[in-house]
C-alpha cells in the first residue's frame, strides 16, 4: 500500500464524478492515480438523496457499534497467512499458515472477496488503521497468486466460478476505494480479463429457480466498477449478466413463479435472487433508465407483500415460495427460516438503492428491520469461522446456533455490519435526513460551511431520537427524520422547546426547514406498542409480536401460548423496569425480550401458536435438506420433551442411512434402521406404552449401519407426542 494519502479519498472524488460509457480504457487506467481516474469520468445520475459513503460518519457507542468492533476484531485475529494459504499452495508459492477448514478450504462459495470487502468497509466506517493494513496485506498476497492467464481461485476446483468472481470483484474494488490499496485496481482488471473470456464463465441467461451458480448477481459490482473507474468494459460486461428474464416480469408486474414461456417455477434461491435486484439499483445509477427503478420498486413491493416475515427476513429453507400460505407452512416444524447474514446483506443493499434513488422514506424500513432482527440480531462468530447461518422462527421454539465454518454467511457478516454506518444519514443539497436511528456523528464539509451533527438516542429502548447541531452554517437547511411505517400513533416533534404534531412530507420525511444555529436540537418521539400480526390474515395463529421495528420473542421452558393463549399472553406483557427493552408476563414466570437480545443456545418463541407441535433440539452437526434435518456424525442427537404416553417419529429412508438409538428418559428402548432403497419413502416409528406424564426423548446417531447401507446418516422430519387414550 502506498504511503501517500491524497487529501480526498477515491470514493469522495468518484462521488462527485460517477461515470458513464466512453471513458478511458482499462489499459490506460492501470496504475492511474485516483484524481486522474475520476477526472476521466463524466457526471452520472444524481439521486434525490445520497449516503455519505462512510465519509465523515462514525457510529457512537451503542450495541451496534460494539457489534461492528467485535466483527472487525474477529477477522483481524485470523492470521493473514491462513487466509492466503490455499492461494499460495495453488500458485506453487511458499505457504506458511494453515488451512482454515470448512467451506474456505473446500473452495465452496469461497468468501475471500467478501471478507476483503467487509474489512475495507469497516475501515471506511471506523477509520481503524489496522483494518486498512489487513486489507492491504490480503490483497497484495492475493495478487502474487494470480496466474499469468488471470486465474485467481483458491484451488483448481472452485464450485461456483460466477459467485467467486463477483465476490473477488467486490473485494478488490472496495480495497481500492476504501483503503487506497494501489495493487487492487490492476488486479481487478486482470481477473476480469480472465472472466471476460466466454470459455471461463460462459454466458448463462436462463430463467428459473435454484441458484445456478448465481451468475445473475454479477451486474451490480460490474456496474460499481464502471462507476468507479470509468472503464466502459465493466459496463458492457455488466449488461451480459443482467437477469432480464426475471427483471422483466417484475417490471411488467407479472407472476415471477411462471417463466416467460408459461412454465411454473416452484421456488427461487432466496438470498441470491434478492441479491440480483441490487443489479437493478446499480443499473439505474449508471444509466438513469427508468426500467431499472420501476422493476426494483415492483420487486420490493412483491417481496414485502408476500415473502417477508414480520422480522423482515425471508426465504425459509433458502427458498422464495409462490405464496404466503406456502411460506407459512414452513414454520412447522423446523429451523431454517432465514439465511440471516447473506439475506440481510441483500436486503440492506436493496433498501439503500431505493431510498436514495427515489428519495422516499418508506424504503428505509427494510434496512431498519435487518438492523434489529437480521444481521444485527446474530450471535458472535466462533474462532473456527462458524456463524449463525439461519434464524429459526417456528412457534415450536428456536435457538441461535453456529454452523458451517467459513460459509458464504461468514463472508457477508462483515459487509452487513459495516453497512449500518452508511445508512444512518442521507443528504442532498442543504438537506440532511436521519434514516436509521443509531447514535452517530457526522462531519460534513458543504459549500456553505461545515456541518457537525450528532444523533443522540437509546432507541429502541426509548422512543426519542434527537439530532444535535454542533456546527452549522448560517443558511437555510432542511433537517429531519424518516417516518417509519410501524408507528402505533402519530409522532411528535420537539422544536424550540415545544412539542408539535410531526407531519411527514410527500416522501415520508418529518422535516423542518429554517436557519439553524450551533447548539440547536430537533427531537422526534416515535410511539411504539406491542402489536401482533398473524402470519396469514385469515388465521388467528401463528402470530408475530413486534414493538416498533423490533421483533419480540418470549422466553419460557415450554410453548407459552399453550397455557395462556396469544391474546392473554401479549395483553399481560408489561414493560419491565430498567434501561433495556424487556417485558414480564404478569402472573407467570414468562418474560419477553427483543429477538436481538437472545444469545447463543437460548430457547425463545418468536411466533406464538397454542397448537404448535414439539420443539426438537438438534445438537451436533445437523444440516437440512428442505424439510428434513439430517446428520452423518455419530453421537449427534435430536431431543425433545413431551407430555403423553408415547411418541411418533417421522423420518425418510435412504441408501446411506444408518441406525438410530431411541432413548426415552435415559434408557435406550429401540434401535431403528433407517436404511432403504432409492425413493426416499416417508416412514414412521412409534414408541408407545409409556406412563402418562412428561418424558424426554433423544434420537441418537449411533454410528452403526446396515451392511447394505453406504453410510450412518439419520434424519428427522417430525416428532409428535401421542396423548393418553
Amino acid at each position: 500500500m502506498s504511503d501517500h494519502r491524497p487529501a480526498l479519498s477515491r470514493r469522495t472524488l468518484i462521488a462527485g464524478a460517477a461515470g458513464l460509457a466512453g471513458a478511458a480504457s482499462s489499459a490506460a487506467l492501470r496504475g492511474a492515480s485516483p484524481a486522474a481516474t475520476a477526472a476521466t469520468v463524466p457526471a452520472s445520475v444524481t439521486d434525490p438523496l445520497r449516503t455519505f459513503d462512510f465519509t465523515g460518519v462514525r457510529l457512537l457507542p451503542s450495541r451496534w457499534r460494539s457489534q461492528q468492533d467485535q466483527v472487525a476484531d474477529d477477522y483481524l485475529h485470523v492470521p493473514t497467512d491462513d487466509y492466503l494459504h490455499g492461494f499460495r499452495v495453488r500458485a506453487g508459492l511458499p505457504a506458511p499458515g494453515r488451512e482454515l477448514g470448512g467451506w474456505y478450504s473446500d473452495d465452496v462459495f469461497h468468501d475471500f472477496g467478501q471478507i476483503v470487502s467487509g474489512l475495507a468497509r469497516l475501515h471506511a466506517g471506523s477509520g481503524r488503521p489496522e483494518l486498512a493494513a489487513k486489507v492491504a496485506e490480503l490483497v497484495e498476497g492475493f495478487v502474487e497468486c494470480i496466474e499469468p492467464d488471470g486465474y485467481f481461485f483458491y484451488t483448481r476446483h472452485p464450485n461456483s466460478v460466477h459467485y467467486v468472481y463477483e465476490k473477488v470483484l467486490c473485494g478488490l474494488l472496495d480495497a481500492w476505494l476504501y483503503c487506497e490499496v494501489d495493487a487492487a485496481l490492476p488486479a481487478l482488471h486482470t481477473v476480469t480479463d480472465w472472466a471476460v473470456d466466454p470459455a471461463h464463465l460462459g454466458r448463462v441467461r436462463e430463467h428459473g429457480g435454484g441458484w445456478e451458480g448465481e451468475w445473475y448477481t454479477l451486474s451490480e459490482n460490474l456496474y460499481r466498477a464502471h462507476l468507479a473507474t470509468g472503464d466502459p468494459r465493466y459496463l458492457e460486461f455488466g449488461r451480459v449478466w443482467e437477469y432480464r428474464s426475471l427483471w422483466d416480469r417484475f417490471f411488467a408486474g407479472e407472476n415471477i413463479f411462471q417463466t416467460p414461456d408459461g412454465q411454473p417455477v416452484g421456488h427461487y434461491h432466496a438470498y441470491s435472487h434478492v441479491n440480483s435486484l441490487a443489479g437493478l439499483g446499480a443499473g439505474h445509477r449508471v444509466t438513469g433508465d427508468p426500467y431499472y427503478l420501476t422493476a426494483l420498486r415492483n420487486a420490493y413491493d412483491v417481496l414485502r407483500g408476500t415473502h417477508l416475515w414480520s422480522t423482515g427476513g425471508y426465504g425459509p429453507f433458502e427458498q422464495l415460495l409462490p405464496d404466503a400460505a406456502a411460506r407459512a407452512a414452513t414454520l412447522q416444524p423446523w429451523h431454517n427460516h432465514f439465511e440471516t447474514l447473506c439475506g440481510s446483506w441483500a436486503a440492506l443493499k436493496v433498501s439503500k438503492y431505493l431510498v436514495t434513488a427515489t428519495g422516499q422514506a418508506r424504503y428505509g424500513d427494510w434496512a431498519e428491520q435487518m438492523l434489529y432482527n437480521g444481521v444485527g440480531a446474530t450471535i458472535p462468530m466462533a474462532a473456527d469461522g462458524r456463524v449463525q447461518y439461519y434464524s429459526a422462527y417456528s412457534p415450536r421454539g428456536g435457538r441461535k446456533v453456529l454452523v458451517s465454518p467459513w460459509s458464504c454467511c461468514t463472508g457477508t457478516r462483515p459487509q452487513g455490519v459495516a453497512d449500518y454506518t452508511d445508512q444512518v444519514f442521507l443528504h442532498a443539497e442543504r438537506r440532511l435526513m436521519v434514516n436509521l436511528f443509531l447514535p452517530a456523528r457526522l462531519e460534513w464539509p458543504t459549500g456553505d460551511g461545515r456541518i457537525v451533527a450528532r444523533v443522540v438516542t437509546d432507541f429502541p429502548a426509548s422512543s426519542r431520537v434527537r439530532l444535535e447541531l454542533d456546527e452549522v452554517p448560517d443558511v437555510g437547511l432542511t433537517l429531519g427524520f424518516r417516518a417509519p411505517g410501524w408507528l402505533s400513533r402519530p409522532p411528535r416533534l420537539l422544536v424550540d422547546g415545544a412539542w408539535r404534531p410531526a407531519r411527514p412530507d410527500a416522501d415520508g420525511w418529518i422535516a423542518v426547514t429554517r436557519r439553524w444555529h450551533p447548539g440547536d436540537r430537533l427531537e422526534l418521539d416515535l410511539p411504539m406498542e406491542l402489536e401482533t400480526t398473524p402470519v396469514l390474515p385469515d388465521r388467528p395463529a401463528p402470530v408475530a409480536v413486534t414493538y416498533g421495528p423490533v421483533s419480540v420473542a418470549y422466553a419460557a421452558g415450554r410453548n407459552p401460548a399453550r397455557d395462556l393463549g396469544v391474546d392473554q399472553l401479549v395483553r399481560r406483557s408489561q414493560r419491565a423496569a430498567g434501561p433495556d427493552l424487556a417485558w414480564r408476563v404478569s402472573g407467570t414466570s414468562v418474560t419477553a425480550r427483543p429477538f436481538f437480545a437472545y444469545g447463543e443456545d437460548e430457547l425463545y418463541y418468536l411466533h406464538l401458536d397454542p397448537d404448535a407441535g414439539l420443539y426438537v433440539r438438534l445438537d451436533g452437526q445437523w444440516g437440512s435438506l428442505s424439510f428434513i434435518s439430517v446428520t452423518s456424525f455419530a453421537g449427534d442427537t435430536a431431543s425433545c420433551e413431551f407430555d403423553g404416553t408415547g411418541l411418533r417419529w417421522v423420518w425418510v429412508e435412504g441408501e446411506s442411512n444408518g441406525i438410530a438409538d431411541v432413548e426415552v428418559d435415559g434408557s435406550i428402548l429401540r434401535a431403528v434402521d433407517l436404511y432403504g432403497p432409492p425413493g426416499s419413502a416417508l416412514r414412521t416409528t412409534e414408541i408407545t406404552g409409556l406412563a402418562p406424564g412428561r418424558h424426554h426423548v433423544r434420537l441418537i446417531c449411533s454410528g452403526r449401519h446396515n451392511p447394505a447401507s453406504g453410510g450412518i446418516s439419520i434424519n428427522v422430519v417430525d416428532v409428535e407426542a401421542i396423548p393418553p387414550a
Side-chain angles (χ1 to χ4, degrees):
M1 182 166 54
S2 171
D3 292 333
H4 175 66
R5 290 292 180 272
L8 294 177
S9 68
R10 289 185 171 106
R11 64 185 186 277
T12 303
L13 291 164
I14 291 165
L20 293 174
S25 70
S26 62
L29 286 168
R30 286 189 174 88
S33 69
T37 301
T40 67
V41 185
S44 185
V45 175
T46 300
D47 290 330
L49 288 171
R50 297 179 293 280
T51 74
F52 286 90
D53 202 16
F54 303 98
T55 302
V57 183
R58 295 288 183 265
L59 293 191
L60 297 174
S62 67
R63 173 190 178 90
W64 321 108
R65 163 68 182 275
S66 296
Q67 187 190 36
Q68 283 188 341
D69 290 342
Q70 181 179 53
V71 167
D73 290 343
D74 286 343
Y75 291 81
L76 283 171
H77 289 160
V78 178
T80 299
D81 286 338
D82 292 1
Y83 284 123
L84 296 172
H85 180 80
F87 291 111
R88 288 167 169 164
V89 169
R90 187 261 302 150
L93 298 174
R98 63 178 181 85
E99 284 285 5
L100 291 177
W103 293 25
Y104 202 95
S105 294
D106 290 339
D107 208 356
V108 175
F109 298 107
H110 204 269
D111 55 16
F112 175 82
Q114 295 159 290
I115 291 169
V116 171
S117 166
L119 293 177
R121 291 169 184 242
L122 284 167
H123 165 71
S126 69
R128 293 177 59 177
E130 66 269 32
L131 287 165
K134 187 74 163 184
V135 170
E137 290 176 2
L138 292 171
V139 169
E140 289 163 3
F142 170 80
V143 168
E144 293 176 349
C145 301
I146 299 176
E147 298 183 11
D149 68 350
Y151 188 90
F152 58 90
F153 297 92
Y154 192 74
T155 68
R156 292 289 175 190
H157 52 79
N159 80 308
S160 181
V161 291
H162 301 87
Y163 178 100
V164 178
Y165 165 67
E166 191 253 335
K167 308 312 178 193
V168 166
L169 168 66
C170 182
L172 292 173
L173 182 61
D174 289 349
W176 186 70
L177 288 174
Y178 298 124
C179 296
E180 310 286 353
V181 179
D182 295 328
L185 185 61
L188 178 63
H189 297 319
T190 299
V191 301
T192 300
D193 287 339
W194 183 91
V196 165
D197 186 341
H200 293 151
L201 292 188
R203 295 295 183 269
V204 182
R205 296 296 297 272
E206 300 175 0
H207 180 100
W211 58 270
E212 301 163 339
E214 302 189 20
W215 59 265
Y216 39 78
T217 68
L218 266 67
S219 59
E220 182 204 9
N221 280 305
L222 286 164
Y223 288 151
R224 288 185 63 234
H226 170 67
L227 286 167
T229 66
D231 187 340
R233 185 178 57 160
Y234 291 108
L235 176 66
E236 295 159 6
F237 200 36
R239 285 173 172 155
V240 168
W241 300 107
E242 288 192 344
Y243 198 5
R244 290 281 178 150
S245 58
L246 176 64
W247 295 354
D248 285 353
R249 302 190 75 76
F250 279 125
F251 175 78
E254 297 173 345
N255 179 14
I256 66 168
F257 289 92
Q258 187 177 55
T259 63
D261 61 357
Q263 299 301 309
V265 178
H267 71 276
Y268 290 89
H269 180 250
Y271 153 62
S272 61
H273 284 81
V274 174
N275 195 29
S276 81
L277 301 178
L280 290 167
H284 180 263
R285 189 164 290 171
V286 168
T287 68
D289 186 339
Y291 166 87
Y292 296 100
L293 188 55
T294 298
L296 185 57
R297 293 176 74 153
N298 290 347
Y300 182 91
D301 290 340
V302 168
L303 288 168
R304 290 193 70 83
T306 306
H307 298 283
L308 266 60
W309 307 105
S310 64
T311 60
Y314 56 91
F317 308 126
E318 300 187 36
Q319 298 176 2
L320 293 178
L321 299 169
D323 54 48
R327 175 176 57 86
T330 67
L331 280 176
Q332 302 262 13
W334 292 127
H335 311 280
N336 305 334
H337 298 108
F338 180 36
E339 185 185 355
T340 310
L341 292 162
C342 286
S344 295
W345 174 231
L348 284 163
K349 291 191 292 179
V350 168
S351 180
K352 182 160 60 175
Y353 277 121
L354 278 168
V355 75
T356 54
T358 66
Q360 294 181 6
R362 74 182 183 98
Y363 294 114
D365 287 359
W366 202 5
E368 183 178 54
Q369 287 181 299
M370 294 300 93
L371 173 68
Y372 296 117
N373 314 313
V375 55
T378 56
I379 55 179
M381 182 175 79
D384 62 3
R386 286 177 300 125
V387 296
Q388 184 188 328
Y389 194 104
Y390 292 114
S391 291
Y393 295 162
S394 176
R396 298 183 178 208
R399 296 183 299 141
K400 297 177 182 178
V401 297
L402 301 174
V403 298
S404 303
W406 300 104
S407 66
C408 55
C409 285
T410 314
T412 49
R413 180 173 179 253
Q415 292 177 303
V417 299
D419 211 51
Y420 308 160
T421 305
D422 198 36
Q423 297 210 43
V424 176
F425 295 104
L426 303 173
H427 74 284
E429 185 176 1
R430 295 187 176 181
R431 184 174 175 87
L432 178 64
M433 297 293 112
V434 176
N435 181 47
L436 294 182
F437 308 134
L438 289 177
R441 185 176 188 271
L442 168 68
E443 294 185 11
W444 179 19
T446 74
D448 299 309
R450 197 166 83 130
I451 296 175
V452 178
R454 288 176 293 125
V455 178
V456 179
T457 184
D458 58 356
F459 185 90
S462 166
S463 63
R464 303 283 181 86
V465 183
R466 187 168 68 249
L467 183 62
E468 298 186 354
L469 297 173
D470 296 331
E471 295 183 35
V472 62
D474 187 22
V475 296
L477 294 173
T478 299
L479 305 178
F481 306 88
R482 175 176 54 88
W486 43 258
L487 291 167
S488 60
R489 298 186 307 279
R492 300 181 304 154
L493 200 61
L494 182 65
V495 185
D496 297 329
W499 287 102
R500 69 188 197 192
R503 297 183 176 88
D505 63 21
D507 288 323
W509 301 97
I510 298 169
V512 176
T513 302
R514 55 180 268 186
R515 286 180 181 266
W516 301 87
H517 304 93
D520 281 351
R521 299 179 175 187
L522 186 65
E523 186 165 347
L524 184 65
D525 182 55
L526 298 163
M528 296 178 284
E529 296 177 356
L530 285 178
E531 298 186 0
T532 58
T533 304
V535 173
L536 293 174
D538 59 344
R539 298 183 187 176
V543 165
V545 181
T546 55
Y547 184 74
V550 175
S551 290
V552 175
Y554 283 77
R558 52 182 285 173
N559 180 359
R562 185 179 296 256
D563 298 323
L564 288 178
V566 173
D567 291 343
Q568 278 293 317
L569 185 66
V570 177
R571 187 176 297 119
R572 291 165 60 176
S573 298
Q574 300 176 349
R575 180 76 182 267
D580 297 326
L581 267 184
W583 294 265
R584 297 187 180 278
V585 180
S586 62
T588 76
S589 61
V590 178
T591 61
R593 286 179 284 156
F595 179 56
F596 66 68
Y598 284 81
E600 184 176 3
D601 208 37
E602 291 186 84
L603 180 64
Y604 58 79
Y605 294 85
L606 189 69
H607 284 95
L608 303 176
D609 185 348
D611 298 321
L614 298 175
Y615 172 68
V616 178
R617 177 187 174 109
L618 303 175
D619 287 303
Q621 302 183 59
W622 292 79
S624 63
L625 299 171
S626 188
F627 61 91
I628 307 167
S629 293
V630 59
T631 183
S632 56
F633 293 89
D636 284 2
T637 62
S639 59
C640 65
E641 293 186 349
F642 64 94
D643 292 303
T645 57
L647 66 94
R648 186 177 295 111
W649 166 30
V650 184
W651 49 274
V652 176
E653 67 180 18
E655 292 178 284
S656 297
N657 285 350
I659 294 171
D661 290 327
V662 182
E663 178 191 275
V664 179
D665 300 332
S667 298
I668 294 177
L669 300 186
R670 186 177 302 180
V672 179
D673 188 353
L674 280 67
Y675 170 76
S680 298
L682 203 64
R683 301 298 186 194
T684 300
T685 295
E686 290 190 355
I687 303 292
T688 58
L690 303 177
R694 193 158 188 79
H695 300 280
H696 182 270
V697 61
R698 291 202 311 158
L699 309 174
I700 306 167
C701 182
S702 70
R704 308 187 306 275
H705 62 89
N706 186 309
S709 176
I712 65 168
S713 296
I714 70 168
N715 64 80
V716 180
V717 175
D718 202 358
V719 178
E720 303 169 349
I722 300 175

